[in-house]
Amino acid sequence: MKYLLYNGLASSGTCKSKAEEYLAKEGEGAELVDLVGLDIREWIKKTTAQDIIILCGGDGTLNHLANDLDGVEIPCPLLHYKAGTGNDFLVDLEDILGKTDVGPINEYIKNLPTVKVKDIECKYINGIGYGIDGMCCEYADKMRAAGKNKVNYTTLAIRLCLFKYKAPNATITIDGEEFKYNRVWLAASMNGQYYGGGMKVAPGQKRNSGKLCLAVVHNLGRLKLLTIFPKIFDGSYVKHEKHVDLHYGNHIKVAFDAPMALQIDGETVLDVTEYEVTL
């Protein structure tokens, strides 16, 4: 049996229609299953090696599925149909799977890193953003709550960089080694290369490599930042070695000297002074 899972609340309620579009084109004979209200841990036990599961959604839906099925063996092939906004997860896997709208992902939602922040402990698939990217998510949430569904993150980030963001100092610990940074604009712990709908924050980072990448942008003024920021989309911003550091490790702790917003695979956590990641 083939099952097409979708989140009826995702993509402003349009995820079901996207699942139905896929069903009409390529999913003949598949059963539509809404994840909303579904006990996925119990449901997955009823599947067998002869079944196929296709997850329809974006990175947020995939994050929730990975957390809900943490520690559970999936007995059949699990495929991801990219029906989200950014789809950074499948874009990140293009070197392995090729450029595809549907890809097998069983091995890539295992052994995920764990983030601890405030009273939250969860797995994540792409990255933790702390700094200007967290603030972007915070303001984007406010804009959507006010009825504006289309948010231009690049324009928003530039506006925040120029007028709102106050760069804190940071103490960062990687596998027991401590680093001090002034005027930190970004401190992102990456499992993959991308987040934010195509931002190549950690070029060269490989999933399942046994290491995470921490990208730190620091010690520069607003105008200098604006010359570097566009280069984050192709990863070339890392060439500015005076202001961009990449660290690799299994245990990362980031502490700011002022509370900031943080994002976990696009989900915002407010008033954060520190977070910790373990792989």
Side-chain angles (χ1 to χ4, degrees), residues 100-116:
T100 178
D101 290 336
V102 183
I105 61 169
N106 291 67
E107 64 181 295
Y108 301 108
I109 63 168
K110 294 179 180 179
N111 306 315
L112 293 171
T114 300
V115 58
K116 296 180 182 179

Side-chain angles (χ1 to χ4, degrees), residues 4-16 18-19 33-36 40 54-69 78-87 89 105 109 112 123 125-126 264-267:
L4 189 59
L5 303 186
Y6 71 95
N7 180 351
L9 301 178
S11 300
S12 302
T14 65
C15 191
K16 183 179 181 180
K18 291 178 180 178
V33 180
D34 192 349
L35 287 167
V36 177
I40 188 65
I54 304 166
L55 177 69
C56 177
D59 294 331
T61 299
L62 182 58
N63 173 289
H64 285 291
L65 184 76
N67 276 281
D68 290 341
L69 292 179
L78 172 64
L79 284 70
H80 184 214
Y81 171 51
K82 58 180 183 183
T85 304
N87 302 301
F89 181 81
I105 61 169
I109 63 168
L112 293 171
K123 303 292 184 179
I125 58 168
N126 291 327
I264 305 169
D265 285 339
E267 296 292 323

Side-chain angles (χ1 to χ4, degrees), residues 69-172:
L69 292 179
D70 183 35
V72 175
E73 187 64 32
I74 301 173
C76 59
L78 172 64
L79 284 70
H80 184 214
Y81 171 51
K82 58 180 183 183
T85 304
N87 302 301
D88 291 308
F89 181 81
L90 278 184
V91 171
D92 191 46
L93 290 174
E94 283 182 1
D95 289 346
I96 301 170
L97 303 178
K99 194 169 185 178
T100 178
D101 290 336
V102 183
I105 61 169
N106 291 67
E107 64 181 295
Y108 301 108
I109 63 168
K110 294 179 180 179
N111 306 315
L112 293 171
T114 300
V115 58
K116 296 180 182 179
V117 53
K118 299 179 80 169
D119 60 348
I120 298 167
E121 182 174 339
C122 65
K123 303 292 184 179
Y124 69 94
I125 58 168
N126 291 327
I128 305 297
Y130 194 26
I132 188 65
D133 49 353
M135 182 178 256
C136 281
C137 288
E138 175 187 3
Y139 275 74
D141 288 347
K142 292 177 181 179
M143 292 167 70
R144 281 190 287 266
K148 187 173 182 179
N149 290 323
K150 292 185 178 181
V151 179
N152 187 313
Y153 279 85
T154 302
T155 302
L156 178 59
I158 290 171
R159 190 164 74 242
L160 293 174
C161 286
L162 282 173
F163 303 111
K164 289 280 188 180
Y165 186 81
K166 295 180 180 179
N169 299 324
T171 300
I172 293 173

Side-chain angles (χ1 to χ4, degrees), residues 7 9 23 30 39 48 52 54 57 107 125 130 138 141 163 166 193 200-201 206 219 240 242 246 250 259 261 278:
N7 180 351
L9 301 178
L23 192 65
D39 186 338
T48 70
I52 297 174
I54 304 166
E107 64 181 295
I125 58 168
Y130 194 26
E138 175 187 3
D141 288 347
F163 303 111
K166 295 180 180 179
Q193 297 182 85
K200 200 171 186 179
V201 181
K206 300 296 183 184
N219 201 30
H240 294 266
K242 183 178 178 181
L246 299 180
N250 300 97
T278 306

